Amino acid sequence: MTPPAADTSGLADAVRGRVEELLGPEALHPPGETLQAAASKLPVLAVPADAEEAAALLRVAGEEGWRVLPRGSTVHAPQQVEGFPSPHLHLSSGRMADILDYEPADLTIRAGAGVTLEALDRILAPEGQWLPLDPPGGDGVSLGGVAAEGVAGPLSAAFGRPRDQLLGLTLIDGRGRILELGGRVVKNVAGFDLVRLSCGSRGTLGMISQLSLRLYPRPGADRTLLWTLGSLDDGVEVARSLAGLPFIPASLELLAGMDPDPGSADPVPEAVVLLRLVGSETGVARVERGTRELAGSPDRVLNGEGSRTAAIQRSTREGTVRPLHRRHTLPARIGRVLEELEPAGRPVAVHVLSGTIRCLGWTPAREPSGAGGGGEAASALLSRLRRVFDPEGILPGAWREGWA
Amino acid sequence: MSQVTATLEPSLIRTLSGIVGERAVITDPERLLVYESDGLTQYRYPPSAVVLPASVGELQRVIRTLHEADRPFVARGAGTGLSGGALAVDGAVVVTTTRMNRILEVDVENRRARAEPGAINAHLTTAAAPFGLYYAPDPSSQSACTLGGNVAENSGGPHCLKYGVTTRYVTGLTVVLPDGELLRLGGMGQETPGLDLVGLFVGSEGCFGVVAEIEVQLLPRPEGVRTLLALFDSLEEAATAVSRIIETGLLPAALEIMDQATIQAVEDSVFAAGIPRDAAAALVVEFDGIEVTLDAEMAAAREICQDSGAREVRTAAQAEEREALWKGRKKAFGAMGRIAPDLMVQDATVPRSRLPQVLARIGEIGRRYDLLVANVFHAGDGNLHPNLLFDRNDPDELRRVEEASREIMEVCIEAGGTITGEHGVGLDKRKYLPLVLSHSVLEAMGQVKAAFDPDGRCNPGKVLPDEYLISTKDPR
């Protein structure tokens, strides 16, 4: 379990040579500009064609003691835990980007881990379906990255987190085992839930090569109501009253020091509350009326594609600005935690119904109270679980956001 | 199938009695009979003792004592499980959570609740109702089953089509590991770095430890509800209507089917819902949500049912009609007791679009084995419950039930489905697990189980076939 010594260029050459010997030069020279650009910055970036090739690489890595970092389609460079030496080999799912099985009548799809949310939506839209996931990073992120990261966006208020849309996935673990977990049906309790264990494991258990996902009917109406406020405190108040709506909105966000609609030329408000509603036109109109009683008329309304695009732009920004600091609290404590964080005009994005607070591009001076921790027993259990999948300790993982 | 009762050392009984009180330790063989079986009645495993802790502290001390005494144990809620998950294999001590039955908190502003594991599912919704909130997962046994049992089994229910199963709603857990260590996992508003241990623990069928406290998310009660009953002259037509409803983009709260054998059993019982006995299938479609949207959704569903061959489509106009319909549906398993002395409640999921073909094949299997199959199921999820009716005193019929069950599982797997959608693997379906999971996956699951329970004392003999259960020592 001792991590190998620090990387050297000689070792990188050896790794590169071994990958080429095993899988051929195409596994090191992937097609596509993005991947090539990323490859130039990394010691060795392998792009296996399928689960079997990834398994072969992970087995060799175990034998040789290489540290391996699985990653998605390389939209963002992975960030690692401080203090960990850099990996010898990055494994990309860029060549696992096919739709494998799609039966619209089942409202499920099986796709390669390298398929991006944007590419998936192009397949689903003509069938009147969608995958309501809006993780940080926008729609250029890959499905494998979304699952490995496990981080939800504002839409989780109505639809749940990535873990809730995952029916199954294939994980190639640190032992080089190909583990086909879960299934393709919407209800499945056959065996322990290793799908959820894998979701959010950030590359510490293995590489995800394909996923089965639950889909939803594409909403006919998509509307975002915006209330512009003069201060963050006012924003907290309005968000709090809207959280009491007797309906579940698609999302409820509070932004401070941020542009709610990056495509527009409007000045950036001090604070803004955004309520996104999706569904039938009748239903959306009914909830919209209900919000007026709680928060007055909205200052702006984004409709249809405008509502969708602005949401994607917001999540893209949340996924790319660095440093990114994330805090969780109970929805009712958001105001208090924001006070402790002292944003003082700096950008903050809050997903109100999940109590998620993101500080964008700055680090809070003080740690807010209420942060949890599992203690020694939890750490010991986590270590035992990681050893099940990675006994040689070759998967240090990317324990920070931005790996997608 | 049964085992003889193992006995517990008097010193251990004294220690346990010292923790929970003498009356909360049961060793009298006659009183133990209640605990030798669960909702799956064909198996009987008498426990060596039953212990009923009343608090987290007592639960933790009981588990630590059993750990120190190297005794196998099994956690049990209300015993309504249908896969034999709470059976006391190896003379295990049953740790029952029925005294830990309080709803601890309904946090209205954050829409969450905390409860003890022995709290009854329906009681949570009752507690949340005055605040316009409810708990979404609604297993058919919700008036009796416990939240701890729901967590262990990752229970579903009719309304999980729209709202999802238990795991979606569990936000935090306090658990006692098999060595007596107390762990808090997750929790709304908590930082949860690392692996999703809450997600892993839910559905672990009591094999990783005992749930001591549960935190769940509540939902605002829908503004309106509409329920429709469509009657068909064939089961396949009803299944086709389900596929079409889903395909059209409607998302009902529930889509449930009862076949003729089930309709007749229900109509002969005290739960009669007024469904014509000569209908081959009854499809219940329910929409909930924003009041003004419901009539349009109902009209669309009605049209699809009619186009699919429904001979009659009724709307439950009054709340009482709706309640009667749901009571009939949820009590259908119980009503079948009138037809035959024993019932094998099966549970499998198939892709929704394959329902008509799979149902036809299940019908054929029933005829070939000369068995009465009664289907009552969550059609919108593709979650089938083909129930085989039999008399366990007839060895030949018992054999045919076993063989037909296996064939039904194989048909569901062949259609791209799985061997259990919501009842769990338990003791009953261990033999089928290798049909859906590879050797590597079973091996990994055995290793994960050992990470929680290295001695193999926690709910022995469940979920994984024996060859995948790793233990540093053999349980007594």
Side-chain angles (χ1 to χ4, degrees):
Chain A
M1 294 292 287
T2 312
D7 198 2
T8 65
S9 58
L11 183 53
D13 286 343
V15 172
R16 187 181 293 274
R18 192 71 197 277
V19 173
E20 189 167 347
E21 182 193 335
L22 264 176
L23 307 178
E26 61 275 20
L28 284 165
H29 301 286
E33 206 175 309
T34 318
L35 289 172
Q36 280 169 2
S40 67
K41 295 175 201 154
L42 300 170
V44 183
L45 173 66
V47 192
D50 52 31
E52 282 73 21
E53 288 197 2
L57 286 176
L58 280 159
R59 277 194 295 270
V60 170
E63 288 161 16
E64 302 287 343
W66 302 340
R67 290 183 299 276
V68 181
L69 186 64
R71 57 185 303 180
S73 59
T74 73
V75 170
H76 310 298
Q79 296 191 20
Q80 290 168 251
V81 184
E82 280 172 34
F84 263 87
S86 67
H88 303 102
L89 179 65
H90 287 228
L91 276 186
S92 164
S93 60
R95 282 166 79 201
M96 303 176 188
D98 294 324
I99 300 297
L100 304 167
D101 203 352
Y102 178 33
E103 178 55 65
D106 289 330
L107 277 174
T108 61
I109 195 162
R110 194 162 61 92
V115 172
T116 63
L117 285 178
E118 186 184 17
L120 184 75
D121 198 58
R122 279 200 300 271
I123 306 285
L124 302 181
E127 301 294 338
Q129 297 183 352
W130 74 323
L131 176 68
L133 285 181
D134 56 350
D139 62 357
V141 299
S142 64
L143 295 174
V146 174
E149 188 74 27
V151 176
L155 280 176
S156 63
F159 297 98
R161 292 179 275 166
R163 76 204 278 278
D164 298 311
Q165 317 308 346
L166 268 175
L167 306 174
L169 58 81
T170 301
L171 178 81
I172 304 112
D173 75 0
R175 298 173 190 250
R177 294 185 293 198
I178 298 174
L179 304 174
E180 289 177 12
L181 307 173
R184 287 186 288 148
V185 287
V186 293
K187 271 166 91 180
N188 185 359
V189 291
F192 304 131
D193 198 342
L194 302 189
V195 174
R196 278 187 169 72
L197 184 70
S198 306
C199 187
S201 62
R202 297 185 176 177
T204 57
L205 306 184
M207 177 185 193
I208 294 167
S209 65
Q210 60 170 261
L211 317 86
S212 288
L213 295 151
R214 177 185 183 143
L215 305 172
Y216 293 77
R218 203 173 187 87
D222 187 334
R223 192 164 304 157
T224 303
L225 316 180
L226 292 91
W227 287 265
T228 305
L229 290 313
S231 72
L232 186 55
D233 288 348
D234 291 347
V236 169
E237 274 311 301
V238 170
R240 198 166 175 167
S241 54
L242 287 169
L245 266 175
F247 307 102
I248 307 166
S251 67
L252 177 59
E253 295 166 78
L254 164 64
L255 306 181
M258 277 179 72
D259 192 344
D261 181 13
S264 79
D266 294 352
V268 176
E270 200 69 31
V272 60
V273 172
L274 299 100
L275 183 77
R276 188 172 174 198
L277 306 170
V278 302
S280 67
E281 181 53 44
T282 327
V284 166
R286 163 72 184 87
V287 180
E288 194 179 346
R289 279 196 302 280
T291 63
R292 285 167 203 267
E293 290 161 25
L294 291 169
S297 295
D299 298 297
R300 268 184 76 194
V301 177
L302 303 174
N303 259 311
E305 198 51 32
S307 170
R308 203 180 80 87
T309 308
I312 292 170
Q313 286 170 340
R314 289 194 301 277
S315 65
T316 303
R317 178 168 171 183
E318 282 187 38
T320 47
V321 173
R322 295 288 178 272
L324 184 126
H325 222 79
R326 190 174 53 166
R327 283 282 167 263
H328 289 285
T329 187
L330 289 171
R333 292 190 77 249
I334 287 170
R336 206 179 316 164
V337 173
L338 282 173
E339 269 175 35
E340 289 173 2
L341 290 170
E342 297 178 28
R346 290 175 292 197
V348 174
V350 183
H351 306 162
V352 178
L353 296 173
S354 66
T356 306
I357 300 173
R358 295 172 195 277
C359 307
L360 297 159
W362 59 283
T363 305
R366 280 191 295 146
E367 288 289 308
S369 55
E376 272 179 39
S379 298
L381 178 60
L382 285 170
S383 296
R384 291 199 297 275
L385 285 169
R386 279 185 63 176
R387 279 201 295 275
V388 167
F389 300 91
D390 179 24
E392 302 302 324
I394 62 168
L395 297 163
W399 286 106
R400 281 195 175 179
E401 278 183 286
W403 178 58
Chain B
M1 213 178 288
S2 64
Q3 281 191 346
V4 288
T5 315
T7 51
L8 223 54
E9 302 86 339
S11 61
L12 184 55
I13 295 169
R14 276 196 301 277
T15 309
L16 293 169
S17 300
I19 298 167
V20 296
E22 261 179 47
R23 292 181 61 191
V25 178
I26 302 169
T27 52
D28 170 11
E30 272 186 34
R31 290 180 65 204
L32 289 176
L33 285 178
V34 178
Y35 297 92
E36 69 173 10
S37 200
D38 61 6
L40 186 74
T41 53
Q42 54 265 48
Y43 296 97
R44 284 166 204 278
Y45 286 84
S48 50
V50 174
V51 187
L52 297 96
S55 67
V56 176
E58 285 187 10
L59 174 65
Q60 188 183 11
R61 286 167 64 202
V62 165
I63 299 300
R64 184 161 282 156
T65 300
L66 294 171
H67 168 66
E68 284 160 3
D70 196 19
R71 273 282 172 183
F73 67 90
V74 50
R76 179 181 168 116
T80 54
L82 293 164
S83 57
L87 295 172
V89 174
D90 290 333
V93 173
V94 168
V95 180
T96 296
T97 58
T98 42
R99 286 174 75 208
M100 298 173 69
N101 59 0
R102 292 176 302 160
I103 309 289
L104 299 167
E105 181 189 9
V106 175
D107 174 354
V108 178
E109 193 165 3
N110 293 305
R111 289 180 179 166
R112 65 170 191 149
R114 290 188 305 113
E116 292 184 322
I120 289 173
N121 173 299
H123 291 182
L124 179 53
T125 284
T126 305
F131 310 104
L133 300 172
Y134 78 111
Y135 179 59
D138 63 336
S140 294
S141 57
Q142 72 182 129
S143 58
C145 66
T146 64
L147 291 171
N150 294 169
V151 167
E153 301 298 317
N154 189 14
S155 304
H159 292 81
C160 292
L161 168 60
K162 181 173 177 182
Y163 293 102
V165 295
T166 300
T167 189
R168 169 132 181 224
Y169 295 91
V170 178
T171 50
L173 291 173
T174 301
V175 302
V176 180
L177 295 182
D179 62 0
E181 192 78 49
L182 191 77
L183 272 192
R184 290 188 202 285
L185 309 175
M188 217 176 149
Q190 297 293 307
E191 302 291 337
T192 50
L195 302 170
D196 181 2
L197 295 183
V198 175
L200 179 62
F201 211 93
V202 176
S204 60
E205 303 199 26
C207 292
F208 293 171
V210 187
V211 174
E213 194 183 302
I214 302 157
E215 183 193 274
V216 297
Q217 190 194 353
L218 302 173
L219 296 182
R221 190 162 275 292
E223 189 182 41
V225 183
R226 297 280 193 288
T227 310
L228 164 162
L229 174 71
L231 303 171
F232 293 86
D233 288 326
S234 90
L235 189 55
E236 287 77 12
E237 280 175 357
T240 303
V242 167
S243 269
R244 288 188 186 161
I245 287 170
I246 298 281
E247 212 176 328
T248 309
L250 292 167
L251 185 55
L255 268 172
E256 300 281 306
I257 289 181
M258 289 189 273
D259 72 359
Q260 189 168 37
T262 309
I263 293 168
Q264 291 180 353
V266 169
E267 290 305 314
D268 286 343
S269 75
V270 293
F271 310 113
I275 304 170
R277 298 169 49 87
D278 64 336
L283 168 64
V284 178
V285 186
E286 184 158 289
F287 291 96
D288 69 10
I290 299 162
E291 182 66 41
V292 290
T293 64
L294 299 176
D295 287 339
E297 290 177 324
M298 284 283 279
R302 172 183 285 271
E303 197 179 322
I304 292 168
C305 289
Q306 281 162 344
D307 288 351
S308 304
R311 71 180 209 201
E312 186 186 344
V313 182
R314 298 179 186 173
T315 304
Q318 309 292 328
E320 295 76 39
E321 281 177 68
R322 180 179 167 264
E323 276 163 28
L325 214 49
W326 277 115
K327 194 165 247 179
R329 162 62 190 87
K330 291 197 171 184
K331 301 290 184 185
F333 291 156
M336 285 174 201
R338 297 177 62 90
I339 307 176
D342 293 291
L343 177 69
M344 167 71 93
V345 179
Q346 274 303 353
D347 167 43
T349 312
V350 298
R352 294 176 261 232
S353 60
R354 303 295 301 275
L355 275 175
Q357 299 93 312
V358 170
L359 284 166
R361 290 197 56 191
I362 290 171
E364 182 272 318
I365 292 168
R367 285 189 294 278
R368 185 151 41 80
Y369 282 97
D370 192 23
L371 290 168
L372 181 57
V373 183
N375 288 285
V376 47
F377 58 100
H378 313 305
D381 288 320
N383 187 186
L384 295 165
H385 293 315
N387 302 303
L388 307 174
L389 295 127
F390 67 105
D391 180 350
R392 90 175 81 145
N393 295 317
D394 178 343
D396 184 62
E397 197 167 52
L398 194 57
R399 176 190 59 79
R400 283 183 279 129
V401 164
E402 284 290 327
E403 287 176 19
S405 293
R406 188 174 185 94
E407 271 197 44
I408 289 170
M409 287 302 125
E410 285 168 351
V411 164
C412 292
I413 293 163
E414 200 183 302
T418 189
I419 58 162
T420 172
E422 59 180 4
H423 293 173
V425 177
L427 182 75
D428 187 48
K429 288 198 165 162
R430 291 202 306 163
K431 54 187 179 284
Y432 301 139
L433 209 53
L435 299 177
V436 281
L437 299 178
S438 70
H439 165 73
S440 295
V441 172
L442 290 166
E443 179 188 68
M445 286 183 178
Q447 291 161 342
V448 167
K449 154 87 171 154
F452 283 91
D453 179 28
D455 302 338
R457 290 182 304 97
C458 186
N459 205 4
K462 306 294 162 51
V463 183
L464 297 173
D466 282 338
E467 59 269 34
Y468 294 103
L469 288 168
I470 305 160
S471 167
T472 52
K473 54 188 112 168
D474 290 326
R476 261 185 243 179

